[in-house]
Amino acid sequence: MTALLDEHEHLEVEPTLRELHIPSSIYYRWRRAAKEPCERIGRDTEPTGQIQRIHTESGGASTRP
């Protein structure tokens, strides 16, 4: 939804949402979540970053035979 409105700047938000039967509160929640991810998402992505850093530091070595 947000991509549609981002790609088509001539579309107005509220009329588009009404036409698609999407509550404006949902749209604005999506927008806010993109800018301010919830705490859980931050916690979930932290280990991924650590794993990527360790993998890079190891020269991309794998423990698989």
Side-chain angles (χ1 to χ4, degrees):
M1 164 50 34
T2 57
L4 172 71
L5 291 166
D6 289 345
E7 292 174 17
H8 301 280
E9 294 178 6
H10 66 281
L11 294 175
E12 294 181 38
V13 173
E14 296 297 327
T16 302
L17 295 174
R18 272 195 304 275
E19 191 65 30
L20 296 173
H21 305 287
I22 297 174
S24 60
S25 60
I26 297 292
Y27 171 78
Y28 291 111
R29 190 178 314 142
W30 286 336
R31 282 288 190 203
R32 187 175 54 251
K35 292 179 186 174
E36 305 168 8
C38 70
E39 184 180 327
R40 193 201 76 195
I41 290 174
R43 284 193 318 263
D44 290 352
T45 58
E46 187 177 320
T48 302
Q50 292 172 347
I51 291 167
Q52 289 172 337
R53 181 182 48 78
I54 292 167
H55 180 73
T56 300
E57 290 173 358
S58 73
S62 173
T63 58
R64 291 182 150 175

